[in-house]
Amino acid sequence: MLRAGVVAVQGDVSEHAAAIRRAGAAHGEEVEVIEIRQSGHVADCDVLLLPGGESTAISRLLEREGIDEEIREHVAADKPVLATCAGLIVASSDAKDERVDTLDLLDVTVDRNAFGRQVDSFEAPLDVAGFSEPFPAVFIRAPVIDEVGDGVEVLAEWDGSPVAVRDGPVVATAFHPELTDDSRIHDLAFFDDLAVEA
Ligand code: GLN
């Protein structure tokens, strides 16, 4: 039984809950989803998802509820996190926007809405390191990762910028892997490592 916490203060929570259940089922693993709206629940979770939504709101609510520190402790304990879109912005080390108090879970800086200024949303077949077929990546007012630190592995790029990265236990994407039936990004974030540990 895998206990997956979906940070549910704001954003597309139910889609991530469904995606992690699908990924679990494909691995013969039952998944209990815990929706996290208050402090006191992160420590019960094996893995965490930080959904997309609005990063300013997510950041403010995490701090208000005291969940921010619990997420940092989860990562410090080397437990997996998947952060998507606004989740990536919140997880980054710098969003260059004073309204977003980033969690500094991974060593990247981001530019909010960088794609969004040109085009609101689009879907693209994305080559991801280790995937034999392209991943159908849905970008919605997506951030661009503009700087990555030394320890960060770039898993995919679009238009010359990283859009999927891994830094230790944290996998982050500028796009929304939970909006397609393809659960390979959730596999990569959660089940590869668990398989290795087992
Ligand atoms: N542009 C949004 C933000 O800055 C993120 C959009 C999304 O999560 N789809 O928070």
Side-chain angles (χ1 to χ4, degrees), residues 52-56 84-87 89 112-113 140-143 176:
E54 186 54 46
S55 53
T56 52
T84 62
C85 202
I89 298 170
R112 290 184 63 208
N113 299 323
I140 302 171
R141 294 181 296 111
H176 286 268

Side-chain angles (χ1 to χ4, degrees), residues 23 108-109 119 126 150 159 173:
V108 302
T109 71
V119 49
L126 194 67
D150 284 344
D159 213 11
T173 65

Side-chain angles (χ1 to χ4, degrees), residues 110-119 141-146 161:
V110 298
D111 185 2
R112 290 184 63 208
N113 299 323
F115 285 119
R117 280 188 212 113
Q118 291 131 30
V119 49
R141 294 181 296 111
V144 164
I145 297 172
D146 47 18
S161 297

Side-chain angles (χ1 to χ4, degrees), residues 58-116:
I58 295 171
S59 153
R60 182 164 31 87
L61 292 167
L62 291 180
E63 194 180 346
R64 190 184 80 187
E65 299 299 327
I67 303 169
D68 52 352
E69 203 43 49
E70 296 182 344
I71 298 174
R72 289 196 189 97
E73 284 164 16
H74 176 95
V75 171
D78 220 23
K79 292 159 107 183
V81 174
L82 173 58
T84 62
C85 202
L88 155 67
I89 298 170
V90 171
S92 74
S93 51
D94 189 1
K96 290 173 288 184
D97 184 331
E98 63 192 16
R99 291 167 301 168
V100 184
D101 203 1
T102 60
L103 295 173
D104 204 8
L105 306 181
L106 76 167
D107 190 7
V108 302
T109 71
V110 298
D111 185 2
R112 290 184 63 208
N113 299 323
F115 285 119

Side-chain angles (χ1 to χ4, degrees), residues 144-164:
V144 164
I145 297 172
D146 47 18
E147 275 174 56
V148 301
D150 284 344
V152 179
E153 181 188 359
V154 175
L155 301 169
E157 291 191 351
W158 184 256
D159 213 11
S161 297
V163 291

